[in-house]
Amino acid sequence: MAAEKAAALTLLSDLTPPSLERTWLTSPHPTLPLVATCSSDKTVRVYSLTNFCLLSTISGGHKRSVRTCAWKPNISGESVLATGSFDATVGIWRRWDNYGETAQQRQQDGVQDLDEDRLEEGAEEEDEEWRFAVLLDGHDSEVKSVSWSASGALLATCSRDKSIWIWEDLDDGDNNFETVAVMQEHEGDVKCVAWHPVEECLASGSYDDTIRIWREDIDDWGQVACIRGHAGTVWGVDWEATENVPSSSADGLSGQEEEAWKQWHAPAGPRLASCSHDRTVRIWRRQPKAPVSAPGASGIPSIIRPSGTDETWEEDAVLPEAHVLSIYAVAWSRRTGLLASAGADGRLVVYEERFAAGSQPTEPMETDSPASPGKGAAAPHPPTEWKILAIMDGAHGIYEINHVAWAKRADRGRDDSKEEEVLVTTADDGSIKVWNITR
């Protein structure tokens, strides 16, 4: 379980002031140096990653703990935040980006601080600047996770009531949302939902130990895969970046070998990481398949869901054992390809996928994907292996870590010649910590 001493995790800062109650999750803003943290005190706090101080406290919308939140992507001039609560409702909050736009402009101008004069004093924005736009009501029990699709048009929510709802933001200026699907195939609490980075494809994890994949087919959302492999509750899932490539080994790899991996990987698309009560982190890969063909078909429309929509997902890897209790969160960096996990043992772990040193490409894999070269054979690919880069024990003292997320580094200590990242962890004691990883 020991790390290879290839990297070190160091505490960069706490976000201040912390919550006085348990913090559940921290969501980095998609474009601005901000994070939103949801808490058992019924609020969401918005902090600056430039100086680690509180900017806003969002309150008044929920009657119980705010369990989850997510920023809407692909929107400019305004920030939109979805929140999910133990009161069974989902809130949509809006705020014009005056401090956000200031932050962006200052960064473009090469100025490091976000509203420096004001924020150096830790001044907090007035709550009124956040507008409670709409309450989405439909779940029968606690909302556990919310996620926006890549386009920002769809919002997925899941609950202890075993259901997943998909809502469409009509973007009509009146804050109207339409329910487009309610999926109830899970047999237990649905703990997490996460959208594919580019496609309208949703992954969910549940108390029933399964991961399920959902897609729309002719105006009807349905399950296309049920992934079984974990031996306990699936607490978290996260997608790989579309352009991710494993790190080179110490021996290095030629461009040809890297290209071979890309060609093998492309037909399947991004992989999915999951973490569980069984103390494992697993990587799943979709089996490529050819489009459905029906020689001699009558042309009569079928009212039955076509079998061609089903997908086969296979276990690609089980990461090295690093946790001794439930793993609550897994985060796959879309910038570096590093993966982080955290959980009930208070341990923060960072992993790296590498091309195996001195390895040769494997034999071609049989597949029916038309994107593969040759007659049904995918390009050979160099094998990879996952290594533990760094472990931080007791990252929040004796407390469980509920969530971990990657964010772009924005503080004064960053190296402007690189696109550095930080890890943000959220724990039972109400603290939120920002970690730097050095190689």
Side-chain angles (χ1 to χ4, degrees):
M1 189 182 71
E4 293 193 347
K5 308 297 183 184
L9 283 165
T10 54
L11 180 63
L12 196 58
S13 180
D14 285 77
L15 298 185
T16 58
S19 171
L20 297 179
E21 298 185 36
R22 172 183 289 145
T23 46
W24 287 108
L25 175 147
T26 297
S27 176
H29 194 286
T31 57
L32 302 174
L34 311 171
V35 294
T37 297
C38 44
S39 170
S40 290
D41 68 4
K42 310 173 191 175
T43 72
V44 175
R45 288 171 170 78
V46 180
Y47 295 91
S48 164
L49 284 179
T50 303
N51 68 354
F52 311 117
C53 291
L54 182 66
L55 292 175
S56 306
T57 300
I58 305 172
S59 60
H62 291 293
K63 299 175 181 176
R64 295 183 62 194
S65 295
V66 182
R67 175 64 181 83
T68 180
C69 64
W71 299 95
K72 181 178 180 179
N74 288 326
I75 186 170
S76 60
E78 186 181 28
S79 287
V80 178
L81 188 70
T83 55
S85 169
F86 281 0
D87 65 12
T89 66
V90 175
I92 305 295
W93 303 80
R94 297 179 179 273
R95 187 191 193 286
W96 300 115
D97 276 338
N98 46 28
Y99 67 64
E101 287 176 346
T102 302
Q104 226 170 17
Q105 187 59 51
R106 281 176 171 269
Q107 285 192 329
Q108 289 170 1
D109 293 343
V111 179
Q112 292 187 352
D113 286 282
L114 172 66
D115 270 348
E116 182 176 356
D117 295 337
R118 181 175 59 82
L119 294 183
E120 283 295 339
E121 301 171 2
E124 183 180 346
E125 288 288 326
E126 292 297 322
D127 295 349
E128 297 82 48
E129 295 187 8
W130 279 96
R131 310 184 302 284
F132 189 47
V134 64
L135 193 71
L136 304 180
D137 195 359
H139 284 292
D140 294 329
S141 189
E142 300 161 0
V143 176
K144 297 296 183 73
S145 178
V146 297
S147 178
W148 293 95
S149 64
S151 68
L154 300 176
L155 177 68
T157 63
C158 66
S159 167
R160 186 178 177 182
D161 65 13
K162 307 178 186 179
S163 74
I164 298 167
W165 288 54
I166 297 179
W167 315 76
E168 182 180 4
D169 185 350
L170 299 181
D171 201 19
D172 56 3
D174 292 325
N175 296 310
N176 288 320
F177 282 73
E178 179 182 4
T179 305
V180 296
V182 178
M183 287 99 75
Q184 297 177 297
E185 279 83 345
H186 274 296
E187 299 170 3
D189 301 14
V190 189
K191 301 293 188 184
C192 55
V193 284
W195 287 99
H196 188 287
V198 291
E199 300 173 13
E200 287 192 348
C201 168
L202 184 72
S204 60
S206 169
Y207 186 78
D208 65 12
D209 304 351
T210 69
I211 302 160
R212 300 183 191 236
I213 307 295
W214 313 85
R215 290 184 187 269
E216 185 180 26
D217 178 55
I218 316 175
D219 297 325
D220 183 27
W221 281 85
Q223 177 183 300
V224 295
C226 178
I227 304 172
R228 301 182 187 275
H230 281 295
T233 300
V234 179
W235 285 103
V237 293
D238 198 20
W239 292 91
E240 176 184 29
T242 53
E243 301 299 322
N244 182 43
V245 176
S247 300
S248 295
S249 66
D251 296 345
L253 278 178
S254 70
Q256 285 183 327
E257 289 171 302
E258 187 174 295
E259 190 60 32
W261 193 90
K262 289 180 180 179
Q263 289 181 13
W264 171 80
H265 185 54
R271 294 168 294 174
L272 185 69
S274 61
C275 62
S276 168
H277 178 69
D278 67 11
R279 306 185 300 280
T280 67
V281 176
R282 297 170 187 261
I283 308 296
W284 308 92
R285 181 179 181 275
R286 183 172 63 89
Q287 177 70 38
K289 63 179 180 178
V292 178
S293 59
S298 64
I300 300 173
S302 171
I303 61 171
I304 302 173
R305 186 175 177 82
S307 60
T309 60
D310 291 340
E311 299 178 356
T312 300
W313 284 75
E314 299 172 341
E315 188 177 276
D316 191 63
V318 180
L319 270 58
E321 181 181 343
H323 290 275
V324 295
L325 293 173
S326 290
I327 307 173
Y328 292 147
V330 61
W332 204 332
S333 169
R334 294 187 182 177
R335 291 186 177 95
T336 64
L338 297 181
L339 194 144
S341 63
D345 58 7
R347 184 172 286 165
L348 174 61
V349 185
V350 178
Y351 315 80
E352 182 180 45
E353 184 181 24
R354 302 173 186 167
F355 290 113
S359 64
Q360 296 298 320
T362 61
E363 291 299 314
M365 178 186 69
E366 290 299 318
T367 176
D368 53 6
S369 169
S372 302
K375 296 182 178 180
H381 67 95
T384 65
E385 55 189 359
W386 285 90
K387 298 289 186 180
I388 296 173
L389 273 189
I391 296 178
M392 175 60 69
D393 286 314
H396 287 255
I398 62 172
Y399 296 96
E400 296 187 350
I401 302 175
N402 294 314
H403 190 256
V404 60
W406 293 96
K408 185 177 178 180
R409 187 169 179 181
D411 63 282
R412 285 179 174 176
R414 71 183 185 275
D415 183 347
D416 288 326
S417 67
K418 304 175 183 176
E419 193 172 73
E420 295 180 289
E421 279 192 306
V422 292
L423 280 167
V424 185
T425 53
T426 313
D428 271 1
D429 63 346
S431 65
I432 312 103
K433 294 181 181 289
V434 182
W435 303 87
N436 185 38
I437 181 165
T438 54
R439 304 296 297 272

